[in-house]
């Protein structure tokens, strides 16, 4: 059965640029105050639908001549988040580097740079950044969650589970962490605790395809094929293009006795453009008579 980490908890809470700082400008510059306030709001992400607007606002502040090191660190961090949102991870890392240069004790850019390195597949560097973020702020639940996901991607499921434990202890309402621990526990064979985590995740996010997929894996491992079929079908209603869910749906159908339907789903996986899921489906078909 296909197994993989899917629970990206990206970015970090941004330290807002304090609006009262705008009033520190001298009186002759009051004519530019409105422009500055507008760019502060943009840099803070006021226009949530437009990373380009956030980049523009932060760049205006970065290019200014009156900003403190603290504001520059925040502006570079926020612009890095905007670059990450459009998957420009190299530019994001450059901004996080500068944020850290201006404020070495600022935990957010370490966490966010770790996410960027994770997205680039450089898991060891990502973990070093999450380590530093946690060292600076031992109560930083998001950094624990991101490090958990990175260990998960390295197939170090024991460490991932430990970090998910800490993330849940610190920030129990953080999106995706219950599902992340559910998946890791399922891989480790801790099926009943994993099931409890998935059920909790669905209380928080009732329409999360990834959580239905994770719970489907638990039921599949338990041999509860009908329940697995229900969960994988729910996952695919929410995300029809998920090749992994379709792969496991096919295996669940086949194992339940609906062999023709299972084979049809597995053959569909071969056309979905996901090489790992296709290999898993192909291997399953090779081992089971059609």
């Amino acid at each position: 059965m296909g197994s993989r980490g899917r629970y990206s908890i990206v970015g970090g809470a941004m330290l807002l640029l304090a609006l009262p700082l705008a009033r520190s400008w001298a009186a002759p510059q009051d004519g530019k105050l409105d422009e500055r306030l507008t760019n502060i709001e943009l840099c803070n992400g006021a226009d949530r639908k437009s990373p380009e607007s956030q980049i523009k606002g932060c760049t205006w502040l970065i290019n200014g001549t009156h900003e403190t090191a603290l504001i520059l660190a925040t502006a570079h961090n926020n612009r890095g988040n905007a670059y990450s949102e459009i998957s420009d991870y190299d530019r994001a890392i450059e901004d996080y580097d500068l944020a850290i240069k201006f404020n070495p004790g600022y935990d957010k850019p370490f966490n966010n740079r770790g996410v960027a390195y994770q997205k680039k597949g450089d898991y060891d560097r990502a973990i070093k950044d999450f380590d530093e973020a946690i060292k600076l702020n031992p109560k930083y639940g998001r950094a624990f969650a991101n490090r958990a996901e990175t260990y998960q991607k390295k197939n170090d499921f024991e460490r991932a589970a430990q970090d998910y434990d800490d993330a849940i202890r610190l920030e129990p309402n953080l999106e995706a962490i219950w599902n992340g621990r559910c998946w890791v526990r399922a891989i480790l064979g801790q099926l009943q605790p994993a099931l409890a985590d998935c059920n909790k995740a669905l209380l928080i996010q009732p329409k999360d395809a990834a959580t239905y997929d994770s719970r489907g894996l638990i039921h599949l491992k338990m041999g509860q094929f009908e329940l697995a079929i229900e969960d994988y079908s729910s996952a695919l209603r929410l995300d029809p293009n998920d090749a992994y869910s379709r792969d496991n749906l096919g295996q669940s159908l086949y194992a339940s006795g609906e062999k023709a339907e299972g084979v049809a789903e597995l053959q569909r996986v071969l056309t979905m453009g996901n090489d790992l899921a296709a290999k898993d489906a192909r291997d399953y078909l090779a081992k089971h008579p059609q």
Side-chain angles (χ1 to χ4, degrees):
M1 62 191 68
S3 63
R4 69 282 182 222
R6 300 171 47 190
Y7 319 109
S8 184
I9 307 175
V10 296
M14 291 178 292
L15 177 65
L16 299 184
L17 292 167
L19 294 183
L21 290 171
R23 300 187 183 95
S24 68
W25 277 23
Q29 296 169 322
D30 284 348
K32 293 186 177 180
L33 182 57
D34 287 344
E35 184 180 10
R36 185 166 188 261
L37 292 177
T38 296
N39 283 293
I40 286 174
E41 291 179 356
L42 290 175
C43 188
N44 281 336
D47 184 357
R48 295 294 181 184
K49 297 181 180 180
S50 176
E52 291 78 11
S53 294
Q54 188 171 23
I55 291 168
K56 180 180 177 182
C58 292
T59 300
W60 189 94
L61 291 166
I62 289 166
N63 291 339
T65 58
H66 299 278
E67 307 303 346
T68 65
L70 179 61
I71 289 180
L72 289 171
T74 306
H76 279 292
N77 176 71
N78 291 3
R79 190 171 71 175
N81 288 348
Y83 279 130
S84 283
E85 191 171 345
I86 59 175
S87 302
D88 192 343
Y89 299 118
D90 289 331
R91 284 189 177 181
I93 288 168
E94 291 176 2
D95 267 327
Y96 297 138
D97 289 345
L98 288 167
I100 291 165
K101 178 182 177 182
F102 282 113
N103 186 1
Y106 188 12
D107 55 354
K108 300 298 188 294
F110 281 106
N111 173 71
N112 296 341
R113 189 173 67 180
V115 172
Y117 278 129
Q118 184 205 89
K119 294 298 183 182
K120 286 169 63 69
D122 193 341
Y123 301 142
D124 290 337
R125 292 185 75 174
I127 287 171
K128 286 181 180 179
D129 275 340
F130 297 137
D131 288 346
E132 186 62 28
I134 290 166
K135 180 180 177 181
L136 289 168
N137 180 3
K139 296 183 178 180
Y140 197 171
R142 186 175 294 270
F144 279 105
N146 287 335
R147 191 172 68 179
E149 185 188 1
T150 310
Y151 279 130
Q152 186 175 336
K153 290 178 180 294
K154 286 169 63 71
N155 295 326
D156 190 342
F157 299 115
E158 292 286 355
R159 286 189 178 181
Q162 292 170 9
D163 273 343
Y164 278 127
D165 288 346
D166 283 323
I168 286 170
R169 174 176 57 82
L170 292 165
E171 294 190 55
N173 295 320
L174 191 63
E175 290 182 4
I177 55 176
W178 290 95
N179 182 34
R181 192 172 71 172
C182 169
W183 177 264
V184 167
R185 284 177 162 179
I187 296 300
L188 291 171
Q190 301 168 5
L191 300 183
Q192 287 296 341
L195 184 60
D197 281 346
C198 270
N199 289 338
K200 175 70 173 181
L202 286 170
L203 288 175
I204 297 171
Q205 293 180 291
K207 295 183 179 180
D208 184 48
T211 304
Y212 281 110
D213 176 271
S214 299
R215 196 171 69 176
L217 174 62
I218 297 165
H219 287 138
L220 181 54
K221 283 192 166 192
M222 287 179 168
Q224 298 174 343
F225 303 123
E226 295 300 328
L227 291 175
I229 291 166
E230 288 180 16
D231 277 335
Y232 286 127
S233 297
S234 295
L236 288 165
R237 279 193 293 272
L238 293 164
D239 185 2
N241 296 318
D242 190 318
Y244 290 112
S245 291
R246 196 164 299 282
D247 174 28
N248 286 341
L249 173 61
Q251 294 184 34
S252 300
L253 286 164
Y254 191 99
S256 75
E258 299 181 48
K259 294 185 177 180
E261 292 84 350
V263 168
E265 293 291 351
L266 291 164
Q267 289 176 338
R268 287 183 66 184
V269 175
L270 304 180
T271 69
M272 295 181 71
N274 184 315
D275 292 341
L276 291 176
K279 181 182 183 302
D280 193 68
R282 195 177 294 110
D283 289 345
Y284 190 91
L285 289 168
K287 294 176 182 177
H288 296 81
Q290 300 175 42

